[in-house]
Amino acid sequence: MPAPTAAPVPRQPPGPRLTGLGAGLFCGAVMLLVGFAALLLFDGSQVAYGVLFLPVCALTAVWVRQGDLPAAPVVVPIGFAVGLLPVVDGSGGGLPGRLLGLVTALATQALWLYAGTLIAGVTALGRRVALGRRRAAVRGRTPV
């Protein structure tokens, strides 16, 4: 008598599975660390900060749970803004100066923000399409 075989398990990408809230906390915390690193290593270069933002967006979209895929493109802009806080120039104006610096940085670095949001959105959408195809294949029919 042959040994029973296990049903094939759908292949999952390696890494943690984050909820929507977890993805927001992950992205915000990592971008805050990236902001401090950009301040220390690159003298507060906002371009270096923007470049380092892109892989964080991809990781956030890859590590979010399948049920929380729509959260990925929502949380990355929030993480971008949180991480900009150490990088912005407050010009010695206290809290109002820091907020004005944040608004200015968000306006001047919008290209990085849009690119990262697009990366997270496309990655989440690709994962969603792949999930639909896998489910259709398991049911035994061809996806539309």
Side-chain angles (χ1 to χ4, degrees):
M1 179 159 137
T5 59
V9 177
R11 200 160 172 249
Q12 298 270 338
R17 289 286 150 229
L18 302 171
T19 63
L21 177 62
L25 292 173
F26 166 76
C27 187
V30 170
M31 289 314 300
L32 192 61
L33 291 175
V34 166
F36 281 118
L39 181 64
L40 294 174
L41 300 175
F42 303 111
D43 198 33
S45 170
Q46 294 178 2
V47 173
Y49 175 81
V51 169
L52 294 172
F53 172 64
L54 300 179
V56 174
C57 292
L59 277 178
T60 301
V62 167
W63 285 350
V64 73
R65 290 185 322 176
Q66 292 173 349
D68 293 325
L69 282 173
V74 173
V75 300
V76 293
I78 298 168
F80 186 83
V82 167
L84 265 179
L85 289 173
V87 178
V88 297
D89 181 26
S91 298
L95 183 61
R98 176 91 35 200
L99 288 176
L100 185 60
L102 179 64
V103 170
T104 303
L106 285 170
T108 59
Q109 302 304 314
L111 182 63
W112 296 112
L113 179 60
Y114 294 150
T117 305
L118 181 66
I119 287 171
V122 167
T123 304
L125 185 61
R127 286 188 57 208
R128 182 72 179 154
V129 168
L131 175 65
R133 290 181 188 262
R134 274 194 306 243
R135 285 184 179 166
V138 167
R139 286 189 297 239
R141 56 185 169 139
T142 310
V144 181

